[in-house]
Amino acid sequence: MTNMPFEALFEHSSIGIIISNQDGEIERTNLYASNMFGYERDELIGQKIEVLIPPHLKERHIIYRKMYNQNPQPRTMGSNLNLLAVKKCGNQFPVEISLSYFETTNYRRIVSFINDITSRKKSETALKKLTEELESKVEERTEELSNALKQLSEINEGMRNTLMREQELSELKSRFVSMASHEFRTPLAGIMTSVSLISSYHKPEDEPKREKHVQTIKKSVKNLTSILNDFLSLDKLNEGKVKSTPSEFMLKDLVEEIVEEFRIVSEKEQFIETPVIASVKMFQDRDMLRNIFVNLISNAIKYSAEKSKITLTAEQAGEDVVIKVQDQGIGIPEADQKHLFELFFRAHNVTTIKGTGLGLNIVKRYLNMMGGEISFTSVENKGTTFVVKLPMEMKS
């Protein structure tokens, strides 16, 4: 090892390198390997390679070492194996190992390239846990949806008084199955693709790629959660489990809180303008009003172009508050406007954009419980304005 470039490569590699003879005695280690196993420089020289193997695996390793010497060839171990090494202090840790060899004057040296993959194993364990939690949540929500559909089916049996009603219910179910199938399939496909790809990145320099796919999985889980929340809100409304709980709060504080959240997570760089927000105290169901704001602003963002402006105003009008959410988006076709608040309805110009067709129906039902009302005006390709009129104080 007198060649200077080779010597520099050996000493400064960011992977452990150990050279041993064919009898398993360590002849040389680089600094990275010594540090990895917790030994002083050159402390391992002269010791058997099995000193780095957990006690319960040493005898088996001796057999494997002898078999390798009978037919030496470059090989990689660890991609699909759970290999363990042991530090000087006795702590065991997962490793990935590559073997090679070279001959010198009729004597063979074995070169071991060793990488500590503790961080990767932790990431894989965390990903596995996340996947299991997702599967559990999907199963749980699927069962809840199944029960909700069963109840809906029982209700439908008692409502089949006319052929027209039967036809409407059939169309409603078809829209539900089609929408649910599509909306669940897309994020699940993203999760499966990322899980498949993430397992192919083993090297330390692949960490950014692994992180990118982890973020994709989290985003898909967030989309699934949003869809499931819409379904559960509808189910609770149908069962009469949703009750209004009024409390005092400042309208301006609520609006500022929601707008700030949207500004932080916005992916389209859209600007939410709030020129007029009345500083009034309200006695309403704060959570319901928050959900109404979130739904209307989300729709405005979803159906508008990047960097476009969305205007939100909230003015006092006598004992009421009038809230307007205006966008410059794709608008609603005139023929579709009369169906906009129907269950599972989606306008013909938004079929390629994610959505359940439940949000506006839920908003309208919340407003009915709060004593409010909602209306809108829209011109296709120019934008839409939703107007909510709501009493500042919920009447008992």
Side-chain angles (χ1 to χ4, degrees), residues 84-358:
L84 292 175
V86 62
K87 297 178 183 288
K88 181 180 179 180
C89 66
N91 292 340
Q92 297 181 18
F93 63 102
V95 293
E96 189 173 77
I97 303 173
S98 295
L99 296 179
S100 190
Y101 72 99
F102 62 93
E103 306 278 355
T104 58
T105 61
N106 298 322
Y107 202 74
R108 181 180 301 124
R109 264 73 177 180
I110 309 300
V111 184
S112 303
F113 302 92
I114 307 170
N115 187 28
D116 183 346
I117 58 172
T118 301
S119 296
R120 186 201 307 168
K121 286 293 184 182
K122 288 181 179 179
S123 297
E124 291 174 354
T125 300
L127 177 60
K128 181 179 179 182
K129 182 179 179 182
L130 178 64
T131 302
E132 289 174 350
E133 290 176 352
L134 172 62
E135 290 175 350
S136 176
K137 180 173 286 189
V138 170
E139 288 178 2
E140 180 183 339
R141 295 297 187 264
T142 300
E143 183 177 355
E144 292 176 351
L145 285 172
S146 177
N147 292 334
L149 286 174
K150 182 178 179 181
Q151 294 174 2
L152 180 61
S153 178
E154 292 174 352
I155 294 172
N156 290 343
E157 288 295 331
M159 298 178 65
R160 293 179 179 177
N161 298 321
T162 64
L163 181 62
M164 181 64 72
R165 184 55 179 164
E166 289 181 359
Q167 182 178 352
E168 290 175 355
L169 290 172
S170 176
E171 291 175 354
L172 182 64
K173 289 180 180 179
S174 296
R175 291 204 301 268
F176 171 79
V177 171
S178 175
M179 178 275 301
S181 174
H182 177 269
E183 293 300 323
F184 275 90
R185 187 185 300 116
T186 301
L188 286 174
I191 292 171
M192 291 303 297
T193 299
S194 291
V195 169
S196 298
L197 290 174
I198 203 170
S199 62
S200 65
Y201 299 130
H202 306 302
K203 300 177 181 179
E205 58 265 31
D206 289 334
E207 183 60 29
K209 296 178 182 178
R210 288 195 294 269
E211 182 60 24
K212 177 182 177 182
H213 288 294
V214 169
Q215 293 304 319
T216 297
I217 292 171
K218 289 181 178 180
K219 184 176 180 180
S220 297
V221 171
K222 183 179 179 181
N223 289 338
L224 279 172
T225 301
S226 176
I227 294 169
L228 292 170
N229 284 339
D230 278 350
F231 289 157
L232 293 176
S233 295
L234 177 65
D235 184 38
K236 290 178 180 179
L237 282 166
N238 286 337
E239 292 184 351
K241 293 181 178 179
V242 179
K243 304 295 181 184
S244 59
T245 307
S247 62
E248 283 190 352
F249 59 92
M250 295 301 295
L251 177 62
K252 192 177 185 68
D253 293 343
L254 176 60
V255 171
E256 290 176 351
E257 171 188 316
I258 295 170
V259 171
E260 183 60 25
E261 289 178 6
F262 274 103
R263 285 173 178 158
I264 292 174
V265 302
S266 174
E267 296 179 355
K268 290 186 172 183
E269 299 181 2
Q270 291 157 324
F271 176 68
I272 302 177
E273 184 181 64
T274 55
V276 180
I277 303 296
S279 182
V280 296
K281 182 180 292 185
M282 299 194 66
F283 184 75
Q284 275 284 2
D285 190 310
R286 191 179 191 276
D287 290 339
M288 282 189 185
L289 184 54
R290 176 185 175 83
N291 288 335
I292 291 168
F293 272 120
V294 168
N295 185 282
L296 296 179
I297 297 173
S298 296
N299 282 348
I301 291 173
K302 186 190 305 184
Y303 301 126
S304 298
E306 293 184 357
K307 299 182 180 179
S308 59
K309 182 176 70 173
I310 295 163
T311 303
L312 169 63
T313 62
E315 300 181 80
Q316 183 177 355
E319 296 182 353
D320 298 325
V321 168
V322 177
I323 300 164
K324 294 181 181 180
V325 179
Q326 182 179 18
D327 64 56
Q328 300 170 335
I330 61 177
I332 305 163
E334 186 174 354
D336 292 336
Q337 293 184 12
K338 61 182 178 181
H339 302 292
L340 197 60
F341 295 101
E342 295 176 6
L343 278 176
F344 307 120
F345 178 79
R346 305 201 71 214
H348 291 87
N349 61 340
V350 300
T351 53
T352 59
I353 303 174
K354 294 181 181 298
T356 62
L358 298 178

Side-chain angles (χ1 to χ4, degrees), residues 6-18 29-37 96 112-117 120 202-206:
F6 176 79
E7 183 71 14
L9 177 64
F10 179 85
E11 287 298 336
H12 300 290
S13 290
S14 59
I15 189 171
I17 304 176
I18 296 178
T29 66
N30 68 351
L31 182 60
Y32 194 95
S34 298
N35 292 337
M36 183 192 307
F37 286 96
E96 189 173 77
S112 303
F113 302 92
I114 307 170
N115 187 28
D116 183 346
I117 58 172
R120 186 201 307 168
H202 306 302
K203 300 177 181 179
E205 58 265 31
D206 289 334

